[in-house]
Amino acid sequence: MPDPQRPRAALRTAVVWEVLQDALERRVKATGRQSLDVLDTGGGSGNFAVPLALLGHRVTVVDPSPNALFALERRAAEAGVADRVRGVQGDAHGLFEVAERGGYDAVLCHGVLEYVDDPAEGVRNVVAALRPDGVLSLLAAGLGGAVLARALAGHFTEARQALDDPNGRWGAGDPVPRRFTAEQLTALVEGAGLRVGAVHGVRVFADLVPGVLVDTESGALDALLKLEAAAAEIPAFHSVATQLHVLGETEEAAGA
């Protein structure tokens, strides 16, 4: 559930939340358990973990940043869900030093693959944390969105560089080490043994629309949210999305 007090943030998370909550509701019905065990790798200060805990789930957040984990602890306490949120310092490479192998109904891997040395190994690790009937929520930077953004800003050489670069980087000053296409992400998920349940483009338009328009025009935010939701499932828009979301399911979860 996007934070109603943060309307701009809703543009960045609404599509992912809708897909994730639907997947978790299906797991609740299939397992008969109202409270699921969720692992949030790279979960930072709890943008997803705290709302998930508010839904009644138990969430373990693994993040390398002590500052982010401190903010997570404070945020969980303020929301009244400190008993359902646990933060531990670690990363995807050494995941099972701090998390349980095969112990989670759902794993979130959001904004992690861009930074790991071996994305395939990273996906295999988070998949190994799933129970036999688990689901994976994978969110990563999209190549096409970066190319489009650089081009619209007038940086045509950088746009071409991102297009040609194996990691989708537009230059030495690019803060993102790696970007992906939808095909690359689905191949990683399938290569780790999961079935791809859905692919969505995230922030197809949100990063291109002037903020002043969304903030001042009556009804603009709601209209843009609806447009994002409508475009998210259309494959043609995956190629220009700022981020890409893939829902992966184990065979048992897919058949439930």
Side-chain angles (χ1 to χ4, degrees):
M1 58 182 70
D3 187 338
Q5 301 303 316
R6 302 174 62 203
R8 294 291 292 174
L11 282 172
R12 296 173 177 269
T13 60
V15 170
V16 179
W17 267 117
E18 184 175 346
V19 177
L20 180 59
Q21 288 184 82
D22 180 65
L24 293 180
E25 286 172 7
R26 293 200 306 270
R27 299 314 316 136
V28 165
K29 291 178 182 178
T31 62
R33 290 184 284 110
Q34 291 298 313
S35 182
L36 301 177
D37 294 304
V38 180
L39 177 65
D40 187 355
T41 61
S45 60
N47 288 340
F48 281 83
V50 170
L52 283 173
L54 285 168
L55 293 177
H57 304 303
R58 296 177 294 272
V59 188
T60 298
V61 175
V62 177
D63 197 279
S65 169
N67 290 337
L69 293 174
F70 178 77
L72 167 70
E73 183 179 356
R74 184 175 65 243
R75 188 172 183 177
E78 290 173 351
V81 292
D83 59 328
R84 292 197 292 273
V85 176
R86 182 174 73 99
V88 291
Q89 190 171 0
D91 55 32
H93 178 69
L95 185 60
F96 298 115
E97 296 173 9
V98 294
E100 181 184 353
R101 186 183 296 272
Y104 304 91
D105 300 290
V107 174
L108 279 59
C109 183
H110 295 174
V112 173
L113 290 192
E114 296 92 328
Y115 300 95
V116 299
D117 292 333
D118 185 343
E121 179 190 26
V123 175
R124 287 195 298 269
N125 271 359
V126 294
V127 168
L130 288 172
R131 288 175 173 150
D133 55 351
V135 295
L136 169 68
S137 175
L138 180 65
L139 182 69
L143 170 62
V147 173
L148 184 61
R150 300 316 289 175
L152 290 178
H155 303 301
F156 306 121
T157 300
E158 291 179 351
R160 177 61 186 271
Q161 171 69 17
L163 195 59
D164 293 339
D165 186 79
N167 292 318
R169 305 187 75 235
W170 48 256
D174 192 337
V176 180
R178 187 182 291 105
R179 295 183 178 88
F180 301 87
T181 64
E183 291 76 17
Q184 288 171 329
L185 288 179
T186 55
L188 288 171
V189 170
E190 291 174 342
L194 297 187
R195 185 184 78 86
V196 173
V199 180
H200 289 82
V202 179
R203 291 154 57 190
V204 175
F205 306 105
D207 292 348
L208 304 176
V209 176
V212 65
L213 175 63
V214 178
D215 295 335
T216 60
E217 290 290 330
S218 176
L221 177 62
D222 286 340
L224 183 53
L225 281 168
K226 291 176 182 176
L227 178 61
E228 287 279 352
E233 295 187 61
I234 301 174
F237 288 104
H238 296 169
S239 60
V240 295
T242 298
Q243 293 178 306
L244 295 163
H245 182 253
V246 178
L247 183 72
E249 303 172 310
T250 63
E251 288 297 330
E252 188 169 334

